[in-house]
Structure formats: C-alpha cells, structure tokens
Amino acid sequence: MSDLFVKICGLKTASDVDVAVAAGADAIGFVFAPGSPRTVDAAGARELAARVPEGVLTVGVFRGQPVAEVRRFAEESGVRGVQLHGEEGPEDFAALRAGGRTLLRATAEHVKRCGEYGEDLLLLDAPDPGSGKPWNWGSADFTAPEGRWLLAGGLNPGNVREAVEVTGAWGVDVSSGVERERGVKSPELIRAFIEAARG
Ligand SMILES: O=C(O)c1ccccc1NCC(=O)[C@H](O)[C@H](O)COP(=O)(O)O
C-alpha cells in the first residue's frame, strides 16, 4: 500500500466523517462556499470536526470569499486547514497563516510548483470545483508540479489509481466520485476510493 495522501471533501454527516476516518483518510473537507449542495455552517462543521482525530487534517473549503470571512469560519468551526478556490494572492495566504493553519491553494492553472503563493499544499482541480468533471491530467502536455500537490476533479474509485500512476500526484482529493447522488456521500464509495487510491 502506498502512503498517498487522500482527502475526502464535502462531508456533511457524522457517520460519513466516521467512515472516512476509519477508512484511512488523511484529510476531511467541509465546504463553506455558499451555493453548493455540500455547504455546511460553522457550527455544524465544528461538531463534525470534533469527531476527527488529531492526525487527520480538517479543512474548510472556500471560493472567492473575503479573507476576513475565511478567518471567521475557520475560527468558529475549528478546522485546522483552509482551501482557497478563488483569486487569492500570496498576501491572502500570508494573512491566513496565523495559528499554524495548513493552507491549500486550489487552481485549474498548470502551476509549476507548490509554495509559490505560500501554500503548504497545491490542489490541481477542474475549472468547476466539486462538479465531478475530469480535466486533461492524462494529456501529453501536462507536467506535474514540484512538491506536495493533490490531484482533484472527476476522480472516482474506478479511475483514481490510474490517475495517480499517470501523473505521479503526491495526493488526491475527491467529492462527487464518492457520492451516490449529488451532495450525498456513499460509505461504500468512500471506502472503495481510499483502497483503490493507495493500490
Ligand atoms: O464541492 C463543492 O461544491 C465546492 C464548491 C466550491 C468550491 C469547492 C468545492 N469543492 C471542492 C472539492 O471538493 C474539490 O474540488 C474536489 O476534490 C473535486 O471535486 P469532484 O470533482 O467533485 O471530486
């Protein structure tokens, strides 16, 4: 089994959190971006995050929200990481660093290396995050970034192993591919994804 980093995103229920942790997830994502079928509020996320053991990273997921709002959600929910899907720059990452937060930069651009904006982890994702649509990570002109980067976008138990082998990703992130319907996770698919991802 590989030591691939696996993040399961968009969790909304205690039982799904427990399943992901028991199956060996390294990180759990809670969506704070408005308008998603996976959006949770800070109080709900705090209850879910409290179930997660120390060694598993809890991450708040944001899209285009002001830094002050990101900070407030992070503080109120107690998540230890933030994942930004907007147009944030290095100064925004620096402003969110306080408190030892783990910073994830999500982008659909082909970035050369992790850390250019001060992020700890780089997430290469589809242009429409959380849509379950894959992008062209398998194409000949794709060059993997240096450092700790996660592949995301349209992954599922059936394609994740090949995706890791083709791209050499340090980790993977999934949401739609472990759902039985949009916004509703499947315990079986969560377990199958983590097992398949690590080979
Ligand atoms: O999940 C959402 O609805 C969402 C909304 C706004 C910003 C980010 C969002 N999700 C982030 C993710 O879950 C990741 O991008 C995910 O790994 C990739 O999504 P998917 O293709 O659904 O696996």
Side-chain angles (χ1 to χ4, degrees):
M1 190 185 277
S2 77
D3 55 0
L4 186 81
F5 187 95
V6 180
K7 174 168 167 278
I8 306 292
C9 204
L11 296 175
K12 295 192 301 188
T13 70
S15 61
D16 289 341
V17 168
D18 292 349
V19 166
V21 168
D26 296 293
I28 306 276
F30 304 116
V31 176
F32 293 130
S36 164
R38 307 171 183 116
T39 305
V40 290
D41 61 21
R46 175 168 279 280
E47 285 183 17
L48 297 176
R51 310 179 71 82
V52 178
E54 188 96 337
V56 177
L57 182 66
T58 50
V59 178
V61 176
F62 301 86
R63 178 168 52 189
Q65 291 148 275
V67 165
E69 185 176 318
V70 173
R71 192 184 287 121
R72 182 170 53 79
F73 267 102
E75 285 169 0
E76 287 180 11
S77 66
V79 293
R80 289 183 294 108
V82 297
Q83 175 175 319
L84 305 180
H85 282 259
E87 299 293 313
E88 295 84 2
E91 66 286 358
D92 300 311
F93 284 87
L96 289 165
R97 169 66 68 192
R101 276 186 206 110
T102 299
L103 305 177
L104 290 82
R105 175 187 171 203
T107 177
E109 287 168 24
H110 286 192
V111 175
K112 287 205 177 75
R113 67 174 183 88
C114 171
E116 284 177 349
Y117 283 17
E119 72 274 20
D120 300 294
L121 301 175
L122 178 68
L123 179 68
L124 295 195
D125 202 350
D128 187 5
S131 66
K133 293 184 194 140
W135 52 279
N136 63 344
W137 46 259
S139 80
D141 63 354
F142 171 69
T143 308
E146 293 170 26
R148 294 183 168 196
W149 73 278
L150 279 69
L151 179 66
L155 298 178
N156 59 54
N159 67 8
V160 65
R161 191 62 223 159
E162 183 197 355
V164 169
E165 284 169 5
V166 167
T167 63
W170 177 83
V172 290
D173 186 7
V174 66
S175 190
S176 306
V178 293
E179 291 178 346
R180 59 184 160 80
E181 63 185 76
R182 196 156 162 70
V184 182
K185 294 293 188 270
S186 154
E188 293 77 21
L189 290 175
I190 292 173
R191 290 189 200 100
F193 183 87
I194 295 175
E195 193 177 327
R198 299 211 171 107

